[in-house]
Amino acid sequence: MEKRIKVTCAIIQFNDKILAVQRSDTMKIPLKWEFAGGKIEKGETDIECIKREIFEELNIKIEIKKRLTPVAYEYPDFKIKLIPFLTDYISGELILKEHSDFVLAHKKELINLDWAESDVPILKEFLAI
């Protein structure tokens, strides 16, 4: 088993709606929904990572509001430590560069999506805020 991958993710608020993205069919955990983000690179802080990843994957800029509780999760073929941030959309045109789809939904509607297992505890914490 490989070592735990450290990944950041962002709950991005667009006014009263939240962005969720669907993984493409070529990614690990295909077609599951998640909060966008990516792997932390060597020498990079969590906040630098999430801002870079969101810009690279979605072409938008965000403002960090709050860090939520990190989640450690073991999938059958890899381990992940997911570091979530509550963020606000600042600027840019949303363009999907890796994901197959996205939705802007009201907070309570998010529970209806088929989430990646590692994102479920983050979703539950967010819904309780």
Side-chain angles (χ1 to χ4, degrees):
M1 172 87 61
E2 60 188 278
K3 67 178 169 75
R4 193 172 303 279
I5 304 165
K6 284 184 70 176
V7 177
T8 58
C9 71
I11 299 169
I12 305 171
Q13 300 181 108
F14 285 75
N15 298 318
D16 64 337
K17 294 195 176 173
I18 307 301
L19 176 70
V21 290
Q22 187 178 37
R23 297 177 68 81
S24 76
D25 57 6
T26 59
M27 297 168 91
K28 285 184 179 182
I29 344 169
L31 304 178
K32 293 282 192 174
W33 290 86
E34 67 179 0
F35 295 115
K39 294 183 189 106
I40 299 172
E41 293 181 354
K42 190 175 171 90
E44 190 175 49
T45 69
D46 299 353
I47 290 176
E48 289 168 342
C49 172
I50 194 57
K51 288 182 173 184
R52 174 187 55 77
E53 284 284 351
I54 294 303
F55 186 72
E56 286 177 3
E57 289 184 7
L58 304 174
N59 193 53
I60 61 173
K61 294 192 187 254
I62 56 170
E63 178 183 359
I64 307 297
K65 292 297 191 186
K66 180 181 178 184
R67 180 179 165 141
L68 300 181
T69 308
V71 171
Y73 191 86
E74 290 190 27
Y75 286 98
D77 55 344
F78 68 101
K79 297 178 184 178
I80 186 172
K81 180 178 181 185
L82 196 50
I83 304 162
F85 291 93
L86 191 56
T87 72
D88 283 339
Y89 163 80
I90 299 294
S91 65
E93 180 188 353
L94 182 61
I95 300 170
L96 296 180
K97 299 185 180 168
E98 292 184 14
H99 294 85
S100 63
D101 201 2
F102 77 93
V103 62
L104 285 171
H106 289 286
K107 189 174 182 177
K108 299 294 182 201
E109 297 170 332
L110 294 172
I111 201 75
N112 299 323
L113 299 173
D114 183 17
W115 287 89
E117 291 85 351
S118 56
D119 283 65
V120 171
I122 295 164
L123 176 62
K124 287 181 178 173
E125 181 180 3
F126 175 60
L127 293 176
I129 293 174

